[in-house]
Amino acid sequence: MTTHTRRRTHDRDEAERIVTQLYLPHRLSLSGGPGALAMEVAGMGVGALTVGRIAYGRRAQLRTADAENFHANITVRGRARARAGTGEPVTTVAGEGLVYSPGAPAEMEWSADAEHLCLMIPRARLESGLEALLGRSLRGRLAFDFRADLLSPFGRRWRTVLDLLDDELEHPTAATRDARMDRHIEGLVLDGLLLGQRHNHSDALARDRPVRLGSAIKRAVELIEERPSEPWTTVRLATEVHLSVRALQEGFRRDLATPPMTYLRQTRLRLAREALRAAERDATTVGAVALGLGILHTGRFAAAYRDAFGEAPSDTLNRPV
């Protein structure tokens, strides 16, 4: 269940305590710039993830303790300069990000107008997800390249999920108060990080395992049709049918001429139309039908539904029998 928090403070010690409670121990310094502290934090837990949007309202420097988990910071506004451990400093501006791996401290300097989307991902959860993708135990700890890639195809998809989280921080909806949706969003974040960001196991992930594609793709289709409300991701579906992600995608393209997640969306739309046609208008709502099929965004659902069927889902529900 997602929990939201929103905090504001002008006190340096309190600002330090808030971020320490959400993420990890650190020291906050406000030297080297004019202006009073005006910290704002919006935070929430999504599954095992900690997600927050942080601004200090003035120039600020942070030095953290050695990280125990993975952290990703996306610059939403302003600029930042940071380094992990003894690495070289990296500057980011709006739309750019960094991924911090466990085992080293971090130093950051944020501009007065800087605002960041900050994620903390438990090490055990991310590494177990990677083991599921590889089909074996890890040979060495997971470590990411420091600068995030948000421009590759997977990187752009990951950024879309991060934008969803950012919107949810500002405008909470019922979607993230549902445990199933929490698991779905968490899976999207983990998959996007493991598949979209370069790390020391990326080459192993890119190698396919020998499999019988036809039967595996058939089983993947059956899973989608039988359990459309499940929080499926490409990674989870591939794991279920014992394929690599690449093999799953190639199999869907070959056998169905569509990517697996597109097939999932099409299936949910078809089942939603069937459910709305069969429903009594006074006994359900479009939102309830969508949520029951694992659909997070009713607005996007309505637009996709209209594109597919030429009418709004509410029109289908309200049509006289």
Side-chain angles (χ1 to χ4, degrees), residues 149-157 196-197:
D149 177 7
L150 300 176
L151 298 178
S152 69
F154 269 120
R156 289 195 299 270
R157 291 172 194 167
Q197 305 306 316

Side-chain angles (χ1 to χ4, degrees), residues 162-183:
L162 300 184
D163 289 342
L164 165 79
L165 293 172
D166 196 26
D167 290 343
E168 191 66 25
L169 285 168
E170 294 301 311
H171 309 288
T173 67
T176 52
R177 291 194 290 272
D178 185 290
R180 293 174 302 171
M181 297 302 103
D182 272 10
R183 292 194 300 271

Side-chain angles (χ1 to χ4, degrees), residues 13 16 70 76 104 186 209 234 268 287 303 310:
D13 292 341
E16 196 173 88
F70 292 91
V76 177
E186 178 189 324
R209 291 169 281 176
T234 303
R268 286 173 169 169

Side-chain angles (χ1 to χ4, degrees), residues 105-184:
E107 296 179 8
M108 311 171 203
E109 182 172 345
W110 292 11
S111 64
D113 60 342
E115 193 165 3
H116 285 79
L117 180 68
C118 304
L119 283 76
M120 182 171 71
I121 306 104
R123 179 179 201 159
R125 184 67 63 93
L126 193 59
E127 290 186 341
S128 66
L130 178 56
E131 287 177 338
L133 284 175
L134 292 169
R136 60 169 173 80
S137 298
L138 290 185
R139 298 164 187 161
R141 289 293 194 179
L142 172 62
F144 286 85
D145 287 0
F146 189 35
R147 184 182 286 277
D149 177 7
L150 300 176
L151 298 178
S152 69
F154 269 120
R156 289 195 299 270
R157 291 172 194 167
W158 193 52
R159 180 58 194 266
T160 299
V161 180
L162 300 184
D163 289 342
L164 165 79
L165 293 172
D166 196 26
D167 290 343
E168 191 66 25
L169 285 168
E170 294 301 311
H171 309 288
T173 67
T176 52
R177 291 194 290 272
D178 185 290
R180 293 174 302 171
M181 297 302 103
D182 272 10
R183 292 194 300 271
H184 181 51

